[in-house]
Amino acid sequence: MKLAMVGLGKMGANMARRLLKSGHQVVGVDHHPEVAEKLAEEFGLIPAATLDEAIEKLAAPRVVWVMVPAGKPTEAVINDLGNLLSQGDIIVDGGNSFYQDDIRRASQLKEKGINFVDAGTSGGIWGLEEGYSLMVGGEESVVNQITPLFKSLAPTPELGWGHVGPVGAGHFVKMIHNGIEYGLMEAYAEGFQLLEKKTEMDLDLHQIAEIWRYGSVIRSWLLDLTAAALEENPELEGIAAFVPDSGEGRWTVAEAIDLNCSIPVISMALQRRFRSREAAPFADKLLAAMRNQFGGHAVKKVEK
């Protein structure tokens, strides 16, 4: 198949490379044109300087895969594509968009006869070699048209991807996937912190991670990556205790509230990330002040 890939950051570029390796033709466009030119030289990608130029290089029905940051960048690109594409063309959003935005965008594009598919994509920097996990939402007839792309991007043609439901379902499933990821990461982090605190035993955290990787009920790819991180930097020197969030955890928790669904582990994992970004939370200082007020307990002063 021939398609356009809009957005050639790490994920988009690696997906383009995997598609090219599988025999597909990829027209690449990025807001930094030199990125597309470099991939053209290295991997045979067909470069385009603008969306207009990329569309011109495709034959109808055209397929455009969007891999740009969620929110305003995705909104802008899809709006532009809505004015450039024609009836029967297909837009695939492979980023981390909010599923309700997918439903709205699909409805707007449908008025012009343009099809929309949302593809929740997991795999990160390892996807080029290992393949991507793809959770696909959209009309079955439209998804069937671009199934060869999913089969080429997935770990195998039959494993690691699937059509999970209507438009929005792909990104909804990916949202929950990321929420689970928050909880798993927090559990590993807390466990290894407890091991690290038991200083009198002089535990080797990397050794323990390696032991758990084989035969243990908590073995996982995340544990594989944890073991690699501890091997590279056992004391985690130079790494600040500051953990961002992409927004998917927030959406997961908000959805749980709307559905009256209890998800305490994911919720607390998100809250823990918020806490990691505060050097001296006001709430903790207020706790100390309250103890001083009711019990006369000493307050530790900040060193200047």
Side-chain angles (χ1 to χ4, degrees), residues 242-262:
F242 184 101
V243 188
D245 71 281
S246 64
E248 302 239 357
R250 301 178 189 223
W251 298 339
T252 302
V253 171
E255 192 71 28
I257 293 170
D258 287 345
L259 296 174
N260 295 317
C261 179
S262 174

PDB file of all heavy atoms in Angstrom, residues 242-262:
ATOM      1  N   PHE A 242      11.135  13.177  39.480  1.00  0.00           N
ATOM      2  CA  PHE A 242      10.098  14.013  38.869  1.00  0.00           C
ATOM      3  C   PHE A 242       9.474  13.196  37.746  1.00  0.00           C
ATOM      4  O   PHE A 242      10.153  12.850  36.775  1.00  0.00           O
ATOM      5  CB  PHE A 242      10.739  15.294  38.322  1.00  0.00           C
ATOM      6  CG  PHE A 242       9.753  16.282  37.751  1.00  0.00           C
ATOM      7  CD1 PHE A 242       9.359  17.384  38.498  1.00  0.00           C
ATOM      8  CD2 PHE A 242       9.226  16.126  36.475  1.00  0.00           C
ATOM      9  CE1 PHE A 242       8.459  18.318  37.976  1.00  0.00           C
ATOM     10  CE2 PHE A 242       8.330  17.036  35.947  1.00  0.00           C
ATOM     11  CZ  PHE A 242       7.947  18.137  36.703  1.00  0.00           C
ATOM     12  N   VAL A 243       8.194  12.859  37.903  1.00  0.00           N
ATOM     13  CA  VAL A 243       7.550  11.969  36.935  1.00  0.00           C
ATOM     14  C   VAL A 243       6.396  12.690  36.240  1.00  0.00           C
ATOM     15  O   VAL A 243       5.366  12.960  36.859  1.00  0.00           O
ATOM     16  CB  VAL A 243       7.018  10.695  37.617  1.00  0.00           C
ATOM     17  CG1 VAL A 243       6.526   9.698  36.558  1.00  0.00           C
ATOM     18  CG2 VAL A 243       8.088  10.058  38.492  1.00  0.00           C
ATOM     19  N   PRO A 244       6.526  13.011  34.956  1.00  0.00           N
ATOM     20  CA  PRO A 244       5.429  13.646  34.209  1.00  0.00           C
ATOM     21  C   PRO A 244       4.307  12.637  33.931  1.00  0.00           C
ATOM     22  O   PRO A 244       4.435  11.445  34.218  1.00  0.00           O
ATOM     23  CB  PRO A 244       6.101  14.092  32.910  1.00  0.00           C
ATOM     24  CG  PRO A 244       7.572  13.971  33.156  1.00  0.00           C
ATOM     25  CD  PRO A 244       7.739  12.877  34.149  1.00  0.00           C
ATOM     26  N   ASP A 245       3.221  13.111  33.373  1.00  0.00           N
ATOM     27  CA  ASP A 245       2.180  12.214  32.867  1.00  0.00           C
ATOM     28  C   ASP A 245       1.702  12.760  31.532  1.00  0.00           C
ATOM     29  O   ASP A 245       1.692  13.969  31.323  1.00  0.00           O
ATOM     30  CB  ASP A 245       1.022  12.084  33.859  1.00  0.00           C
ATOM     31  CG  ASP A 245       0.173  13.337  33.949  1.00  0.00           C
ATOM     32  OD1 ASP A 245       0.595  14.293  34.627  1.00  0.00           O
ATOM     33  OD2 ASP A 245      -0.907  13.366  33.338  1.00  0.00           O
ATOM     34  N   SER A 246       1.341  11.845  30.644  1.00  0.00           N
ATOM     35  CA  SER A 246       0.953  12.234  29.284  1.00  0.00           C
ATOM     36  C   SER A 246      -0.488  12.716  29.199  1.00  0.00           C
ATOM     37  O   SER A 246      -0.903  13.257  28.182  1.00  0.00           O
ATOM     38  CB  SER A 246       1.143  11.046  28.337  1.00  0.00           C
ATOM     39  OG  SER A 246       0.280   9.985  28.704  1.00  0.00           O
ATOM     40  N   GLY A 247      -1.249  12.494  30.260  1.00  0.00           N
ATOM     41  CA  GLY A 247      -2.662  12.871  30.247  1.00  0.00           C
ATOM     42  C   GLY A 247      -3.610  11.687  30.201  1.00  0.00           C
ATOM     43  O   GLY A 247      -4.768  11.794  30.597  1.00  0.00           O
ATOM     44  N   GLU A 248      -3.114  10.538  29.727  1.00  0.00           N
ATOM     45  CA  GLU A 248      -4.002   9.381  29.594  1.00  0.00           C
ATOM     46  C   GLU A 248      -4.450   8.839  30.947  1.00  0.00           C
ATOM     47  O   GLU A 248      -5.568   8.346  31.096  1.00  0.00           O
ATOM     48  CB  GLU A 248      -3.313   8.286  28.774  1.00  0.00           C
ATOM     49  CG  GLU A 248      -2.902   8.730  27.394  1.00  0.00           C
ATOM     50  CD  GLU A 248      -3.528   7.894  26.298  1.00  0.00           C
ATOM     51  OE1 GLU A 248      -4.231   6.936  26.601  1.00  0.00           O
ATOM     52  OE2 GLU A 248      -3.307   8.224  25.132  1.00  0.00           O
ATOM     53  N   GLY A 249      -3.574   8.928  31.955  1.00  0.00           N
ATOM     54  CA  GLY A 249      -3.963   8.503  33.289  1.00  0.00           C
ATOM     55  C   GLY A 249      -5.081   9.365  33.842  1.00  0.00           C
ATOM     56  O   GLY A 249      -6.013   8.870  34.496  1.00  0.00           O
ATOM     57  N   ARG A 250      -5.017  10.662  33.589  1.00  0.00           N
ATOM     58  CA  ARG A 250      -6.071  11.589  34.034  1.00  0.00           C
ATOM     59  C   ARG A 250      -7.401  11.239  33.368  1.00  0.00           C
ATOM     60  O   ARG A 250      -8.453  11.227  34.012  1.00  0.00           O
ATOM     61  CB  ARG A 250      -5.692  13.026  33.687  1.00  0.00           C
ATOM     62  CG  ARG A 250      -4.403  13.499  34.307  1.00  0.00           C
ATOM     63  CD  ARG A 250      -4.099  14.910  33.863  1.00  0.00           C
ATOM     64  NE  ARG A 250      -2.765  15.324  34.268  1.00  0.00           N
ATOM     65  CZ  ARG A 250      -2.484  16.520  34.776  1.00  0.00           C
ATOM     66  NH1 ARG A 250      -3.437  17.414  34.925  1.00  0.00           N
ATOM     67  NH2 ARG A 250      -1.248  16.823  35.122  1.00  0.00           N
ATOM     68  N   TRP A 251      -7.343  10.968  32.047  1.00  0.00           N
ATOM     69  CA  TRP A 251      -8.572  10.618  31.331  1.00  0.00           C
ATOM     70  C   TRP A 251      -9.162   9.321  31.878  1.00  0.00           C
ATOM     71  O   TRP A 251     -10.390   9.183  31.990  1.00  0.00           O
ATOM     72  CB  TRP A 251      -8.291  10.458  29.842  1.00  0.00           C
ATOM     73  CG  TRP A 251      -7.805  11.700  29.164  1.00  0.00           C
ATOM     74  CD1 TRP A 251      -7.954  12.986  29.596  1.00  0.00           C
ATOM     75  CD2 TRP A 251      -7.107  11.773  27.918  1.00  0.00           C
ATOM     76  NE1 TRP A 251      -7.386  13.847  28.698  1.00  0.00           N
ATOM     77  CE2 TRP A 251      -6.847  13.137  27.653  1.00  0.00           C
ATOM     78  CE3 TRP A 251      -6.661  10.830  27.004  1.00  0.00           C
ATOM     79  CZ2 TRP A 251      -6.180  13.573  26.520  1.00  0.00           C
ATOM     80  CZ3 TRP A 251      -5.989  11.249  25.861  1.00  0.00           C
ATOM     81  CH2 TRP A 251      -5.748  12.620  25.623  1.00  0.00           C
ATOM     82  N   THR A 252      -8.284   8.368  32.215  1.00  0.00           N
ATOM     83  CA  THR A 252      -8.750   7.086  32.749  1.00  0.00           C
ATOM     84  C   THR A 252      -9.485   7.290  34.064  1.00  0.00           C
ATOM     85  O   THR A 252     -10.571   6.733  34.286  1.00  0.00           O
ATOM     86  CB  THR A 252      -7.560   6.129  32.950  1.00  0.00           C
ATOM     87  OG1 THR A 252      -6.870   5.943  31.714  1.00  0.00           O
ATOM     88  CG2 THR A 252      -8.017   4.774  33.466  1.00  0.00           C
ATOM     89  N   VAL A 253      -8.894   8.076  34.957  1.00  0.00           N
ATOM     90  CA  VAL A 253      -9.513   8.331  36.259  1.00  0.00           C
ATOM     91  C   VAL A 253     -10.826   9.097  36.086  1.00  0.00           C
ATOM     92  O   VAL A 253     -11.830   8.791  36.746  1.00  0.00           O
ATOM     93  CB  VAL A 253      -8.540   9.093  37.180  1.00  0.00           C
ATOM     94  CG1 VAL A 253      -9.238   9.550  38.455  1.00  0.00           C
ATOM     95  CG2 VAL A 253      -7.337   8.216  37.519  1.00  0.00           C
ATOM     96  N   ALA A 254     -10.844  10.091  35.193  1.00  0.00           N
ATOM     97  CA  ALA A 254     -12.071  10.849  34.950  1.00  0.00           C
ATOM     98  C   ALA A 254     -13.173   9.941  34.416  1.00  0.00           C
ATOM     99  O   ALA A 254     -14.351  10.069  34.796  1.00  0.00           O
ATOM    100  CB  ALA A 254     -11.791  11.982  33.970  1.00  0.00           C
ATOM    101  N   GLU A 255     -12.822   9.023  33.521  1.00  0.00           N
ATOM    102  CA  GLU A 255     -13.807   8.090  32.972  1.00  0.00           C
ATOM    103  C   GLU A 255     -14.361   7.191  34.071  1.00  0.00           C
ATOM    104  O   GLU A 255     -15.562   6.894  34.109  1.00  0.00           O
ATOM    105  CB  GLU A 255     -13.159   7.240  31.876  1.00  0.00           C
ATOM    106  CG  GLU A 255     -14.133   6.440  31.043  1.00  0.00           C
ATOM    107  CD  GLU A 255     -14.971   7.300  30.103  1.00  0.00           C
ATOM    108  OE1 GLU A 255     -14.489   8.382  29.693  1.00  0.00           O
ATOM    109  OE2 GLU A 255     -16.099   6.883  29.768  1.00  0.00           O
ATOM    110  N   ALA A 256     -13.490   6.760  34.989  1.00  0.00           N
ATOM    111  CA  ALA A 256     -13.931   5.912  36.097  1.00  0.00           C
ATOM    112  C   ALA A 256     -14.935   6.653  36.979  1.00  0.00           C
ATOM    113  O   ALA A 256     -15.914   6.065  37.454  1.00  0.00           O
ATOM    114  CB  ALA A 256     -12.724   5.470  36.920  1.00  0.00           C
ATOM    115  N   ILE A 257     -14.691   7.940  37.200  1.00  0.00           N
ATOM    116  CA  ILE A 257     -15.624   8.741  37.997  1.00  0.00           C
ATOM    117  C   ILE A 257     -16.979   8.816  37.294  1.00  0.00           C
ATOM    118  O   ILE A 257     -18.032   8.634  37.898  1.00  0.00           O
ATOM    119  CB  ILE A 257     -15.041  10.147  38.247  1.00  0.00           C
ATOM    120  CG1 ILE A 257     -13.816  10.050  39.154  1.00  0.00           C
ATOM    121  CG2 ILE A 257     -16.093  11.062  38.861  1.00  0.00           C
ATOM    122  CD1 ILE A 257     -13.028  11.352  39.261  1.00  0.00           C
ATOM    123  N   ASP A 258     -16.946   9.069  35.984  1.00  0.00           N
ATOM    124  CA  ASP A 258     -18.195   9.154  35.221  1.00  0.00           C
ATOM    125  C   ASP A 258     -18.979   7.846  35.256  1.00  0.00           C
ATOM    126  O   ASP A 258     -20.213   7.846  35.251  1.00  0.00           O
ATOM    127  CB  ASP A 258     -17.900   9.522  33.767  1.00  0.00           C
ATOM    128  CG  ASP A 258     -17.487  10.982  33.605  1.00  0.00           C
ATOM    129  OD1 ASP A 258     -17.700  11.768  34.549  1.00  0.00           O
ATOM    130  OD2 ASP A 258     -16.936  11.321  32.541  1.00  0.00           O
ATOM    131  N   LEU A 259     -18.257   6.715  35.290  1.00  0.00           N
ATOM    132  CA  LEU A 259     -18.903   5.403  35.246  1.00  0.00           C
ATOM    133  C   LEU A 259     -19.114   4.802  36.631  1.00  0.00           C
ATOM    134  O   LEU A 259     -19.537   3.649  36.744  1.00  0.00           O
ATOM    135  CB  LEU A 259     -18.058   4.443  34.390  1.00  0.00           C
ATOM    136  CG  LEU A 259     -17.921   4.792  32.910  1.00  0.00           C
ATOM    137  CD1 LEU A 259     -16.951   3.842  32.221  1.00  0.00           C
ATOM    138  CD2 LEU A 259     -19.279   4.762  32.223  1.00  0.00           C
ATOM    139  N   ASN A 260     -18.779   5.572  37.688  1.00  0.00           N
ATOM    140  CA  ASN A 260     -18.889   5.060  39.062  1.00  0.00           C
ATOM    141  C   ASN A 260     -18.118   3.749  39.222  1.00  0.00           C
ATOM    142  O   ASN A 260     -18.604   2.781  39.821  1.00  0.00           O
ATOM    143  CB  ASN A 260     -20.352   4.850  39.461  1.00  0.00           C
ATOM    144  CG  ASN A 260     -21.122   6.151  39.529  1.00  0.00           C
ATOM    145  OD1 ASN A 260     -20.628   7.142  40.050  1.00  0.00           O
ATOM    146  ND2 ASN A 260     -22.334   6.165  38.986  1.00  0.00           N
ATOM    147  N   CYS A 261     -16.920   3.729  38.665  1.00  0.00           N
ATOM    148  CA  CYS A 261     -16.088   2.525  38.670  1.00  0.00           C
ATOM    149  C   CYS A 261     -14.869   2.758  39.567  1.00  0.00           C
ATOM    150  O   CYS A 261     -14.105   3.708  39.360  1.00  0.00           O
ATOM    151  CB  CYS A 261     -15.650   2.204  37.238  1.00  0.00           C
ATOM    152  SG  CYS A 261     -14.599   0.754  37.090  1.00  0.00           S
ATOM    153  N   SER A 262     -14.668   1.905  40.541  1.00  0.00           N
ATOM    154  CA  SER A 262     -13.571   2.064  41.494  1.00  0.00           C
ATOM    155  C   SER A 262     -12.255   1.559  40.898  1.00  0.00           C
ATOM    156  O   SER A 262     -12.132   0.387  40.542  1.00  0.00           O
ATOM    157  CB  SER A 262     -13.881   1.282  42.774  1.00  0.00           C
ATOM    158  OG  SER A 262     -12.778   1.313  43.660  1.00  0.00           O
TER     159      SER A 262
END
